[in-house]
Amino acid sequence: PSNVGVVLLGDALHAFPPDLGQGVNSALKDVSLLGDGLRNATTNSVKEGTTSGGYSFGNDNGRDKLGSALRSYEIEATGEATALVRLMQLGSPYQYNQPGFRAQVAAKLMAANLLLRLVLSQIPFLGNTIFFPQIAMLSQLSGSISYREMLSRAHRTSFAFAAVGIMVALACIKAFLGGELNRTFGY
């Protein structure tokens, strides 16, 4: 008896709208992750002399290796799927012309965010270290970096925006209060 279970790939693992065009990319990543895990399990089995031809999971040790490979795939694929779903939520939430004033303002802020991230990501020494492009543009790197890394880069840029915004606000407060203190106390 085996306790291996079922393997989910592609849309069965992570269904989402086609907003960032990552459906096929993520399915291919799933296949690659699963293939790597199975290949590693069979390669290790061949080295230990437990398979015939390198692809058999027919004995108890082979089934253990298969179960281990599938558990590793599950952990990796779940992390990637979770990050991808979050990227989808952050990527373009206001692209469908939702009605109402709040949605229209949010859509304009999202467009400004996209442009600001794009411009700041081009600054030498800051671009692609502190400031990264918007998620829709990061997703073009889906073959070279993981979805978790894309999400991390998006969060780092948001954190940098917040830090810059706080510094600007503090500078404005200081300028205002400094002028008020000068007028009040005659400095």
Side-chain angles (χ1 to χ4, degrees), residues 93-129:
Y94 298 102
Q95 68 178 346
Y96 296 112
N97 293 327
Q98 291 93 337
F101 178 74
R102 181 176 178 204
Q104 291 172 355
V105 170
K108 289 186 183 3
L109 289 174
M110 181 60 88
N113 181 357
L114 185 142
L115 290 173
L116 187 60
R117 285 176 185 257
L118 181 61
V119 168
L120 291 176
S121 71
Q122 302 303 312
I123 297 173
F125 306 109
L126 293 178
N128 291 326
T129 53

PDB file of all heavy atoms in Angstrom, residues 93-129:
ATOM      1  N   PRO A  93      -5.034  45.077  -9.783  1.00  0.00           N
ATOM      2  CA  PRO A  93      -6.381  44.885  -9.243  1.00  0.00           C
ATOM      3  C   PRO A  93      -7.429  45.848  -9.798  1.00  0.00           C
ATOM      4  O   PRO A  93      -8.607  45.598  -9.643  1.00  0.00           O
ATOM      5  CB  PRO A  93      -6.193  45.107  -7.743  1.00  0.00           C
ATOM      6  CG  PRO A  93      -4.994  45.980  -7.643  1.00  0.00           C
ATOM      7  CD  PRO A  93      -4.113  45.595  -8.796  1.00  0.00           C
ATOM      8  N   TYR A  94      -7.018  46.915 -10.467  1.00  0.00           N
ATOM      9  CA  TYR A  94      -7.996  47.906 -10.922  1.00  0.00           C
ATOM     10  C   TYR A  94      -8.026  48.015 -12.437  1.00  0.00           C
ATOM     11  O   TYR A  94      -8.276  49.063 -12.995  1.00  0.00           O
ATOM     12  CB  TYR A  94      -7.697  49.275 -10.293  1.00  0.00           C
ATOM     13  CG  TYR A  94      -7.805  49.211  -8.811  1.00  0.00           C
ATOM     14  CD1 TYR A  94      -6.681  49.151  -8.017  1.00  0.00           C
ATOM     15  CD2 TYR A  94      -9.047  49.154  -8.195  1.00  0.00           C
ATOM     16  CE1 TYR A  94      -6.789  49.050  -6.640  1.00  0.00           C
ATOM     17  CE2 TYR A  94      -9.164  49.052  -6.825  1.00  0.00           C
ATOM     18  CZ  TYR A  94      -8.030  49.003  -6.056  1.00  0.00           C
ATOM     19  OH  TYR A  94      -8.138  48.904  -4.702  1.00  0.00           O
ATOM     20  N   GLN A  95      -7.802  46.934 -13.131  1.00  0.00           N
ATOM     21  CA  GLN A  95      -7.752  46.998 -14.584  1.00  0.00           C
ATOM     22  C   GLN A  95      -9.097  46.773 -15.257  1.00  0.00           C
ATOM     23  O   GLN A  95      -9.201  46.877 -16.453  1.00  0.00           O
ATOM     24  CB  GLN A  95      -6.740  45.994 -15.102  1.00  0.00           C
ATOM     25  CG  GLN A  95      -7.143  44.562 -14.899  1.00  0.00           C
ATOM     26  CD  GLN A  95      -6.106  43.632 -15.481  1.00  0.00           C
ATOM     27  OE1 GLN A  95      -5.259  44.052 -16.238  1.00  0.00           O
ATOM     28  NE2 GLN A  95      -6.200  42.386 -15.129  1.00  0.00           N
ATOM     29  N   TYR A  96     -10.123  46.434 -14.519  1.00  0.00           N
ATOM     30  CA  TYR A  96     -11.401  46.078 -15.140  1.00  0.00           C
ATOM     31  C   TYR A  96     -12.436  47.203 -15.072  1.00  0.00           C
ATOM     32  O   TYR A  96     -13.617  46.961 -15.180  1.00  0.00           O
ATOM     33  CB  TYR A  96     -11.958  44.814 -14.479  1.00  0.00           C
ATOM     34  CG  TYR A  96     -11.072  43.623 -14.700  1.00  0.00           C
ATOM     35  CD1 TYR A  96     -10.390  43.046 -13.644  1.00  0.00           C
ATOM     36  CD2 TYR A  96     -10.899  43.088 -15.968  1.00  0.00           C
ATOM     37  CE1 TYR A  96      -9.564  41.953 -13.846  1.00  0.00           C
ATOM     38  CE2 TYR A  96     -10.070  42.000 -16.173  1.00  0.00           C
ATOM     39  CZ  TYR A  96      -9.411  41.439 -15.117  1.00  0.00           C
ATOM     40  OH  TYR A  96      -8.600  40.367 -15.312  1.00  0.00           O
ATOM     41  N   ASN A  97     -11.993  48.428 -14.884  1.00  0.00           N
ATOM     42  CA  ASN A  97     -12.891  49.589 -14.854  1.00  0.00           C
ATOM     43  C   ASN A  97     -14.066  49.409 -13.902  1.00  0.00           C
ATOM     44  O   ASN A  97     -15.221  49.538 -14.284  1.00  0.00           O
ATOM     45  CB  ASN A  97     -13.411  49.909 -16.259  1.00  0.00           C
ATOM     46  CG  ASN A  97     -12.313  50.391 -17.168  1.00  0.00           C
ATOM     47  OD1 ASN A  97     -11.371  51.048 -16.718  1.00  0.00           O
ATOM     48  ND2 ASN A  97     -12.402  50.068 -18.437  1.00  0.00           N
ATOM     49  N   GLN A  98     -13.760  49.095 -12.650  1.00  0.00           N
ATOM     50  CA  GLN A  98     -14.815  48.966 -11.667  1.00  0.00           C
ATOM     51  C   GLN A  98     -15.512  50.311 -11.508  1.00  0.00           C
ATOM     52  O   GLN A  98     -14.892  51.358 -11.615  1.00  0.00           O
ATOM     53  CB  GLN A  98     -14.240  48.531 -10.306  1.00  0.00           C
ATOM     54  CG  GLN A  98     -13.715  47.128 -10.293  1.00  0.00           C
ATOM     55  CD  GLN A  98     -12.216  47.056 -10.613  1.00  0.00           C
ATOM     56  OE1 GLN A  98     -11.661  47.937 -11.238  1.00  0.00           O
ATOM     57  NE2 GLN A  98     -11.592  45.985 -10.193  1.00  0.00           N
ATOM     58  N   PRO A  99     -16.818  50.283 -11.259  1.00  0.00           N
ATOM     59  CA  PRO A  99     -17.557  51.538 -11.114  1.00  0.00           C
ATOM     60  C   PRO A  99     -17.250  52.205  -9.775  1.00  0.00           C
ATOM     61  O   PRO A  99     -16.772  51.576  -8.832  1.00  0.00           O
ATOM     62  CB  PRO A  99     -19.021  51.089 -11.188  1.00  0.00           C
ATOM     63  CG  PRO A  99     -19.002  49.671 -10.712  1.00  0.00           C
ATOM     64  CD  PRO A  99     -17.675  49.106 -11.146  1.00  0.00           C
ATOM     65  N   GLY A 100     -17.523  53.464  -9.715  1.00  0.00           N
ATOM     66  CA  GLY A 100     -17.401  54.192  -8.468  1.00  0.00           C
ATOM     67  C   GLY A 100     -16.154  55.060  -8.420  1.00  0.00           C
ATOM     68  O   GLY A 100     -15.138  54.779  -9.040  1.00  0.00           O
ATOM     69  N   PHE A 101     -16.283  56.137  -7.653  1.00  0.00           N
ATOM     70  CA  PHE A 101     -15.200  57.115  -7.537  1.00  0.00           C
ATOM     71  C   PHE A 101     -13.963  56.501  -6.900  1.00  0.00           C
ATOM     72  O   PHE A 101     -12.845  56.718  -7.349  1.00  0.00           O
ATOM     73  CB  PHE A 101     -15.688  58.321  -6.711  1.00  0.00           C
ATOM     74  CG  PHE A 101     -14.628  59.354  -6.500  1.00  0.00           C
ATOM     75  CD1 PHE A 101     -14.242  60.181  -7.551  1.00  0.00           C
ATOM     76  CD2 PHE A 101     -14.003  59.490  -5.264  1.00  0.00           C
ATOM     77  CE1 PHE A 101     -13.254  61.126  -7.364  1.00  0.00           C
ATOM     78  CE2 PHE A 101     -13.025  60.436  -5.075  1.00  0.00           C
ATOM     79  CZ  PHE A 101     -12.649  61.258  -6.132  1.00  0.00           C
ATOM     80  N   ARG A 102     -14.143  55.718  -5.851  1.00  0.00           N
ATOM     81  CA  ARG A 102     -13.002  55.127  -5.145  1.00  0.00           C
ATOM     82  C   ARG A 102     -12.184  54.221  -6.075  1.00  0.00           C
ATOM     83  O   ARG A 102     -10.958  54.252  -6.091  1.00  0.00           O
ATOM     84  CB  ARG A 102     -13.488  54.332  -3.943  1.00  0.00           C
ATOM     85  CG  ARG A 102     -12.377  53.706  -3.159  1.00  0.00           C
ATOM     86  CD  ARG A 102     -12.884  53.016  -1.930  1.00  0.00           C
ATOM     87  NE  ARG A 102     -11.761  52.394  -1.245  1.00  0.00           N
ATOM     88  CZ  ARG A 102     -11.860  51.389  -0.435  1.00  0.00           C
ATOM     89  NH1 ARG A 102     -13.042  50.873  -0.159  1.00  0.00           N
ATOM     90  NH2 ARG A 102     -10.805  50.876   0.133  1.00  0.00           N
ATOM     91  N   ALA A 103     -12.858  53.418  -6.874  1.00  0.00           N
ATOM     92  CA  ALA A 103     -12.168  52.522  -7.803  1.00  0.00           C
ATOM     93  C   ALA A 103     -11.440  53.316  -8.883  1.00  0.00           C
ATOM     94  O   ALA A 103     -10.331  52.941  -9.289  1.00  0.00           O
ATOM     95  CB  ALA A 103     -13.149  51.549  -8.440  1.00  0.00           C
ATOM     96  N   GLN A 104     -12.034  54.423  -9.335  1.00  0.00           N
ATOM     97  CA  GLN A 104     -11.385  55.246 -10.354  1.00  0.00           C
ATOM     98  C   GLN A 104     -10.119  55.903  -9.796  1.00  0.00           C
ATOM     99  O   GLN A 104      -9.090  55.954 -10.465  1.00  0.00           O
ATOM    100  CB  GLN A 104     -12.355  56.300 -10.878  1.00  0.00           C
ATOM    101  CG  GLN A 104     -13.476  55.701 -11.702  1.00  0.00           C
ATOM    102  CD  GLN A 104     -14.536  56.726 -12.061  1.00  0.00           C
ATOM    103  OE1 GLN A 104     -14.490  57.873 -11.632  1.00  0.00           O
ATOM    104  NE2 GLN A 104     -15.502  56.301 -12.856  1.00  0.00           N
ATOM    105  N   VAL A 105     -10.184  56.393  -8.556  1.00  0.00           N
ATOM    106  CA  VAL A 105      -9.006  56.979  -7.912  1.00  0.00           C
ATOM    107  C   VAL A 105      -7.946  55.901  -7.708  1.00  0.00           C
ATOM    108  O   VAL A 105      -6.758  56.107  -7.980  1.00  0.00           O
ATOM    109  CB  VAL A 105      -9.380  57.651  -6.571  1.00  0.00           C
ATOM    110  CG1 VAL A 105      -8.143  58.035  -5.778  1.00  0.00           C
ATOM    111  CG2 VAL A 105     -10.257  58.870  -6.823  1.00  0.00           C
ATOM    112  N   ALA A 106      -8.364  54.737  -7.248  1.00  0.00           N
ATOM    113  CA  ALA A 106      -7.423  53.629  -7.023  1.00  0.00           C
ATOM    114  C   ALA A 106      -6.744  53.223  -8.332  1.00  0.00           C
ATOM    115  O   ALA A 106      -5.550  52.923  -8.349  1.00  0.00           O
ATOM    116  CB  ALA A 106      -8.141  52.454  -6.392  1.00  0.00           C
ATOM    117  N   ALA A 107      -7.490  53.219  -9.436  1.00  0.00           N
ATOM    118  CA  ALA A 107      -6.916  52.856 -10.733  1.00  0.00           C
ATOM    119  C   ALA A 107      -5.855  53.868 -11.149  1.00  0.00           C
ATOM    120  O   ALA A 107      -4.800  53.508 -11.661  1.00  0.00           O
ATOM    121  CB  ALA A 107      -8.008  52.759 -11.785  1.00  0.00           C
ATOM    122  N   LYS A 108      -6.130  55.152 -10.904  1.00  0.00           N
ATOM    123  CA  LYS A 108      -5.154  56.191 -11.246  1.00  0.00           C
ATOM    124  C   LYS A 108      -3.915  56.088 -10.353  1.00  0.00           C
ATOM    125  O   LYS A 108      -2.778  56.250 -10.820  1.00  0.00           O
ATOM    126  CB  LYS A 108      -5.797  57.562 -11.147  1.00  0.00           C
ATOM    127  CG  LYS A 108      -6.803  57.798 -12.263  1.00  0.00           C
ATOM    128  CD  LYS A 108      -7.346  59.177 -12.268  1.00  0.00           C
ATOM    129  CE  LYS A 108      -8.387  59.454 -13.300  1.00  0.00           C
ATOM    130  NZ  LYS A 108      -8.847  58.431 -14.167  1.00  0.00           N
ATOM    131  N   LEU A 109      -4.100  55.785  -9.085  1.00  0.00           N
ATOM    132  CA  LEU A 109      -2.964  55.588  -8.187  1.00  0.00           C
ATOM    133  C   LEU A 109      -2.145  54.364  -8.606  1.00  0.00           C
ATOM    134  O   LEU A 109      -0.917  54.376  -8.524  1.00  0.00           O
ATOM    135  CB  LEU A 109      -3.436  55.447  -6.744  1.00  0.00           C
ATOM    136  CG  LEU A 109      -3.966  56.722  -6.087  1.00  0.00           C
ATOM    137  CD1 LEU A 109      -4.546  56.414  -4.709  1.00  0.00           C
ATOM    138  CD2 LEU A 109      -2.882  57.777  -5.986  1.00  0.00           C
ATOM    139  N   MET A 110      -2.823  53.322  -9.055  1.00  0.00           N
ATOM    140  CA  MET A 110      -2.119  52.126  -9.518  1.00  0.00           C
ATOM    141  C   MET A 110      -1.283  52.457 -10.750  1.00  0.00           C
ATOM    142  O   MET A 110      -0.145  52.008 -10.881  1.00  0.00           O
ATOM    143  CB  MET A 110      -3.114  51.006  -9.828  1.00  0.00           C
ATOM    144  CG  MET A 110      -2.451  49.732 -10.281  1.00  0.00           C
ATOM    145  SD  MET A 110      -1.339  49.030  -9.084  1.00  0.00           S
ATOM    146  CE  MET A 110      -2.475  48.034  -8.179  1.00  0.00           C
ATOM    147  N   ALA A 111      -1.828  53.260 -11.664  1.00  0.00           N
ATOM    148  CA  ALA A 111      -1.071  53.657 -12.854  1.00  0.00           C
ATOM    149  C   ALA A 111       0.138  54.505 -12.458  1.00  0.00           C
ATOM    150  O   ALA A 111       1.240  54.324 -12.990  1.00  0.00           O
ATOM    151  CB  ALA A 111      -1.973  54.417 -13.825  1.00  0.00           C
ATOM    152  N   ALA A 112      -0.052  55.422 -11.508  1.00  0.00           N
ATOM    153  CA  ALA A 112       1.069  56.244 -11.024  1.00  0.00           C
ATOM    154  C   ALA A 112       2.125  55.359 -10.353  1.00  0.00           C
ATOM    155  O   ALA A 112       3.331  55.559 -10.549  1.00  0.00           O
ATOM    156  CB  ALA A 112       0.556  57.302 -10.045  1.00  0.00           C
ATOM    157  N   ASN A 113       1.691  54.378  -9.582  1.00  0.00           N
ATOM    158  CA  ASN A 113       2.595  53.432  -8.942  1.00  0.00           C
ATOM    159  C   ASN A 113       3.422  52.699  -9.995  1.00  0.00           C
ATOM    160  O   ASN A 113       4.641  52.566  -9.862  1.00  0.00           O
ATOM    161  CB  ASN A 113       1.773  52.458  -8.096  1.00  0.00           C
ATOM    162  CG  ASN A 113       2.611  51.441  -7.356  1.00  0.00           C
ATOM    163  OD1 ASN A 113       3.824  51.383  -7.475  1.00  0.00           O
ATOM    164  ND2 ASN A 113       1.943  50.623  -6.579  1.00  0.00           N
ATOM    165  N   LEU A 114       2.761  52.231 -11.054  1.00  0.00           N
ATOM    166  CA  LEU A 114       3.454  51.522 -12.127  1.00  0.00           C
ATOM    167  C   LEU A 114       4.521  52.411 -12.751  1.00  0.00           C
ATOM    168  O   LEU A 114       5.672  51.989 -12.916  1.00  0.00           O
ATOM    169  CB  LEU A 114       2.438  51.077 -13.179  1.00  0.00           C
ATOM    170  CG  LEU A 114       2.998  50.211 -14.299  1.00  0.00           C
ATOM    171  CD1 LEU A 114       1.995  49.129 -14.666  1.00  0.00           C
ATOM    172  CD2 LEU A 114       3.331  51.032 -15.516  1.00  0.00           C
ATOM    173  N   LEU A 115       4.166  53.650 -13.081  1.00  0.00           N
ATOM    174  CA  LEU A 115       5.124  54.558 -13.713  1.00  0.00           C
ATOM    175  C   LEU A 115       6.277  54.909 -12.774  1.00  0.00           C
ATOM    176  O   LEU A 115       7.437  54.938 -13.187  1.00  0.00           O
ATOM    177  CB  LEU A 115       4.413  55.824 -14.188  1.00  0.00           C
ATOM    178  CG  LEU A 115       3.479  55.635 -15.376  1.00  0.00           C
ATOM    179  CD1 LEU A 115       2.707  56.921 -15.659  1.00  0.00           C
ATOM    180  CD2 LEU A 115       4.260  55.204 -16.608  1.00  0.00           C
ATOM    181  N   LEU A 116       5.967  55.174 -11.513  1.00  0.00           N
ATOM    182  CA  LEU A 116       7.006  55.515 -10.543  1.00  0.00           C
ATOM    183  C   LEU A 116       7.979  54.358 -10.353  1.00  0.00           C
ATOM    184  O   LEU A 116       9.195  54.538 -10.344  1.00  0.00           O
ATOM    185  CB  LEU A 116       6.365  55.908  -9.208  1.00  0.00           C
ATOM    186  CG  LEU A 116       7.305  56.442  -8.144  1.00  0.00           C
ATOM    187  CD1 LEU A 116       8.018  57.701  -8.622  1.00  0.00           C
ATOM    188  CD2 LEU A 116       6.524  56.739  -6.872  1.00  0.00           C
ATOM    189  N   ARG A 117       7.454  53.151 -10.225  1.00  0.00           N
ATOM    190  CA  ARG A 117       8.328  51.972 -10.081  1.00  0.00           C
ATOM    191  C   ARG A 117       9.194  51.794 -11.322  1.00  0.00           C
ATOM    192  O   ARG A 117      10.373  51.449 -11.217  1.00  0.00           O
ATOM    193  CB  ARG A 117       7.501  50.714  -9.827  1.00  0.00           C
ATOM    194  CG  ARG A 117       6.947  50.631  -8.432  1.00  0.00           C
ATOM    195  CD  ARG A 117       6.040  49.416  -8.262  1.00  0.00           C
ATOM    196  NE  ARG A 117       5.416  49.410  -6.966  1.00  0.00           N
ATOM    197  CZ  ARG A 117       5.802  48.626  -5.958  1.00  0.00           C
ATOM    198  NH1 ARG A 117       6.789  47.796  -6.102  1.00  0.00           N
ATOM    199  NH2 ARG A 117       5.179  48.682  -4.804  1.00  0.00           N
ATOM    200  N   LEU A 118       8.618  52.014 -12.487  1.00  0.00           N
ATOM    201  CA  LEU A 118       9.374  51.864 -13.723  1.00  0.00           C
ATOM    202  C   LEU A 118      10.510  52.894 -13.794  1.00  0.00           C
ATOM    203  O   LEU A 118      11.655  52.542 -14.090  1.00  0.00           O
ATOM    204  CB  LEU A 118       8.453  52.005 -14.936  1.00  0.00           C
ATOM    205  CG  LEU A 118       9.117  51.853 -16.297  1.00  0.00           C
ATOM    206  CD1 LEU A 118       9.741  50.471 -16.440  1.00  0.00           C
ATOM    207  CD2 LEU A 118       8.110  52.098 -17.398  1.00  0.00           C
ATOM    208  N   VAL A 119      10.208  54.148 -13.490  1.00  0.00           N
ATOM    209  CA  VAL A 119      11.226  55.199 -13.544  1.00  0.00           C
ATOM    210  C   VAL A 119      12.316  54.950 -12.494  1.00  0.00           C
ATOM    211  O   VAL A 119      13.507  54.989 -12.806  1.00  0.00           O
ATOM    212  CB  VAL A 119      10.575  56.590 -13.344  1.00  0.00           C
ATOM    213  CG1 VAL A 119      11.622  57.659 -13.107  1.00  0.00           C
ATOM    214  CG2 VAL A 119       9.709  56.939 -14.552  1.00  0.00           C
ATOM    215  N   LEU A 120      11.925  54.680 -11.256  1.00  0.00           N
ATOM    216  CA  LEU A 120      12.909  54.485 -10.195  1.00  0.00           C
ATOM    217  C   LEU A 120      13.756  53.233 -10.416  1.00  0.00           C
ATOM    218  O   LEU A 120      14.913  53.186 -10.001  1.00  0.00           O
ATOM    219  CB  LEU A 120      12.221  54.417  -8.834  1.00  0.00           C
ATOM    220  CG  LEU A 120      11.599  55.731  -8.356  1.00  0.00           C
ATOM    221  CD1 LEU A 120      10.869  55.531  -7.042  1.00  0.00           C
ATOM    222  CD2 LEU A 120      12.650  56.816  -8.223  1.00  0.00           C
ATOM    223  N   SER A 121      13.201  52.226 -11.065  1.00  0.00           N
ATOM    224  CA  SER A 121      13.977  50.999 -11.310  1.00  0.00           C
ATOM    225  C   SER A 121      15.082  51.220 -12.335  1.00  0.00           C
ATOM    226  O   SER A 121      15.980  50.396 -12.461  1.00  0.00           O
ATOM    227  CB  SER A 121      13.059  49.860 -11.760  1.00  0.00           C
ATOM    228  OG  SER A 121      12.570  50.089 -13.068  1.00  0.00           O
ATOM    229  N   GLN A 122      15.035  52.345 -13.054  1.00  0.00           N
ATOM    230  CA  GLN A 122      16.055  52.650 -14.059  1.00  0.00           C
ATOM    231  C   GLN A 122      17.208  53.485 -13.506  1.00  0.00           C
ATOM    232  O   GLN A 122      18.190  53.725 -14.202  1.00  0.00           O
ATOM    233  CB  GLN A 122      15.415  53.393 -15.243  1.00  0.00           C
ATOM    234  CG  GLN A 122      14.295  52.633 -15.921  1.00  0.00           C
ATOM    235  CD  GLN A 122      14.717  51.272 -16.414  1.00  0.00           C
ATOM    236  OE1 GLN A 122      15.743  51.136 -17.064  1.00  0.00           O
ATOM    237  NE2 GLN A 122      13.951  50.251 -16.088  1.00  0.00           N
ATOM    238  N   ILE A 123      17.117  53.943 -12.263  1.00  0.00           N
ATOM    239  CA  ILE A 123      18.163  54.771 -11.658  1.00  0.00           C
ATOM    240  C   ILE A 123      19.393  53.901 -11.382  1.00  0.00           C
ATOM    241  O   ILE A 123      19.286  52.864 -10.728  1.00  0.00           O
ATOM    242  CB  ILE A 123      17.675  55.413 -10.340  1.00  0.00           C
ATOM    243  CG1 ILE A 123      16.508  56.357 -10.614  1.00  0.00           C
ATOM    244  CG2 ILE A 123      18.809  56.151  -9.644  1.00  0.00           C
ATOM    245  CD1 ILE A 123      15.860  56.891  -9.364  1.00  0.00           C
ATOM    246  N   PRO A 124      20.561  54.323 -11.880  1.00  0.00           N
ATOM    247  CA  PRO A 124      21.769  53.532 -11.601  1.00  0.00           C
ATOM    248  C   PRO A 124      21.998  53.383 -10.096  1.00  0.00           C
ATOM    249  O   PRO A 124      21.777  54.321  -9.332  1.00  0.00           O
ATOM    250  CB  PRO A 124      22.889  54.353 -12.244  1.00  0.00           C
ATOM    251  CG  PRO A 124      22.196  55.200 -13.270  1.00  0.00           C
ATOM    252  CD  PRO A 124      20.825  55.463 -12.720  1.00  0.00           C
ATOM    253  N   PHE A 125      22.430  52.241  -9.676  1.00  0.00           N
ATOM    254  CA  PHE A 125      22.753  51.874  -8.294  1.00  0.00           C
ATOM    255  C   PHE A 125      21.524  51.715  -7.397  1.00  0.00           C
ATOM    256  O   PHE A 125      21.632  51.191  -6.312  1.00  0.00           O
ATOM    257  CB  PHE A 125      23.744  52.847  -7.646  1.00  0.00           C
ATOM    258  CG  PHE A 125      24.990  53.032  -8.446  1.00  0.00           C
ATOM    259  CD1 PHE A 125      25.238  54.212  -9.113  1.00  0.00           C
ATOM    260  CD2 PHE A 125      25.906  52.000  -8.562  1.00  0.00           C
ATOM    261  CE1 PHE A 125      26.386  54.377  -9.863  1.00  0.00           C
ATOM    262  CE2 PHE A 125      27.056  52.147  -9.316  1.00  0.00           C
ATOM    263  CZ  PHE A 125      27.298  53.340  -9.965  1.00  0.00           C
ATOM    264  N   LEU A 126      20.376  52.218  -7.804  1.00  0.00           N
ATOM    265  CA  LEU A 126      19.153  52.035  -7.020  1.00  0.00           C
ATOM    266  C   LEU A 126      18.196  51.081  -7.712  1.00  0.00           C
ATOM    267  O   LEU A 126      17.524  50.286  -7.063  1.00  0.00           O
ATOM    268  CB  LEU A 126      18.444  53.373  -6.777  1.00  0.00           C
ATOM    269  CG  LEU A 126      19.165  54.371  -5.893  1.00  0.00           C
ATOM    270  CD1 LEU A 126      18.369  55.656  -5.795  1.00  0.00           C
ATOM    271  CD2 LEU A 126      19.411  53.798  -4.520  1.00  0.00           C
ATOM    272  N   GLY A 127      18.128  51.196  -9.035  1.00  0.00           N
ATOM    273  CA  GLY A 127      17.261  50.313  -9.799  1.00  0.00           C
ATOM    274  C   GLY A 127      17.750  48.878  -9.715  1.00  0.00           C
ATOM    275  O   GLY A 127      18.940  48.609  -9.790  1.00  0.00           O
ATOM    276  N   ASN A 128      16.818  47.983  -9.500  1.00  0.00           N
ATOM    277  CA  ASN A 128      17.071  46.547  -9.377  1.00  0.00           C
ATOM    278  C   ASN A 128      17.930  46.178  -8.171  1.00  0.00           C
ATOM    279  O   ASN A 128      18.470  45.092  -8.106  1.00  0.00           O
ATOM    280  CB  ASN A 128      17.659  45.968 -10.665  1.00  0.00           C
ATOM    281  CG  ASN A 128      16.639  45.979 -11.775  1.00  0.00           C
ATOM    282  OD1 ASN A 128      15.447  45.794 -11.528  1.00  0.00           O
ATOM    283  ND2 ASN A 128      17.077  46.206 -12.989  1.00  0.00           N
ATOM    284  N   THR A 129      18.066  47.106  -7.230  1.00  0.00           N
ATOM    285  CA  THR A 129      18.633  46.768  -5.919  1.00  0.00           C
ATOM    286  C   THR A 129      17.681  47.214  -4.818  1.00  0.00           C
ATOM    287  O   THR A 129      17.433  46.464  -3.888  1.00  0.00           O
ATOM    288  CB  THR A 129      20.020  47.412  -5.694  1.00  0.00           C
ATOM    289  OG1 THR A 129      19.929  48.813  -5.923  1.00  0.00           O
ATOM    290  CG2 THR A 129      21.069  46.809  -6.600  1.00  0.00           C
TER     291      THR A 129
END
